[in-house]
């Protein structure tokens, strides 16, 4: 099996598993947020809610970026603020 075939197989796996993981992670985090918002009796539940929100944000920043890169989607950054944010996050 040559290298280009392995890369093609890896790219196809990424294109099919990343959207599944993105959807599953989003649904799981949203369900956690809904349940934890109803249980705001202790401060621990607030921290867990914020952790679920941060996990969702990180999921979209990291996994969505990898999905876009593996699908050969090219994002052109225009403007100094967006360029600095892109360098900061990625």
């Amino acid at each position: 099996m040559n290298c280009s075939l392995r890369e093609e197989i890896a790219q196809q796996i990424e294109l099919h598993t990343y959207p599944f993981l993105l959807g599953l992670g989003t649904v799981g985090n949203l369900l956690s947020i809904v349940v934890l918002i109803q249980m705001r009796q202790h401060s621990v539940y607030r921290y867990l809610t914020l952790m679920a929100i941060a996990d969702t944000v990180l999921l979209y920043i990291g996994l969505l970026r990898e999905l876009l890169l593996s699908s050969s989607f090219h994002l052109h950054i225009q403007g100094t603020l967006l360029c600095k944010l892109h360098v900061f996050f990625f």
Side-chain angles (χ1 to χ4, degrees):
M1 187 181 285
N2 59 14
C3 189
S4 63
L5 182 60
R6 286 183 184 178
E7 289 175 2
E8 181 66 30
I9 292 172
Q11 185 179 14
Q12 290 300 317
I13 290 172
E14 289 173 355
L15 285 176
H16 290 91
T17 56
Y18 285 177
F20 175 74
L21 292 174
L22 193 64
L24 187 66
T26 301
V27 169
N29 285 331
L30 288 178
L31 287 175
S32 296
I33 291 168
V34 167
V35 169
L36 290 170
I37 283 177
Q38 296 174 356
M39 303 172 70
R40 285 198 170 228
Q41 300 163 355
H42 300 288
S43 63
V44 173
Y45 296 121
R46 291 183 189 138
Y47 293 123
L48 289 173
T49 304
L50 290 175
M51 187 175 74
I53 292 170
D55 186 38
T56 304
V57 169
L58 185 66
L59 185 69
Y60 275 93
I61 287 174
L63 198 57
L64 188 61
R65 179 180 182 269
E66 289 297 321
L67 178 64
L68 292 175
L69 287 176
S70 68
S71 67
S72 300
F73 178 79
H74 297 289
L75 180 66
H76 297 287
I77 307 283
Q78 295 179 353
T80 56
L81 179 63
L82 288 176
C83 182
K84 288 180 182 180
L85 285 174
H86 182 265
V87 170
F88 177 74
F89 282 115
F90 307 113

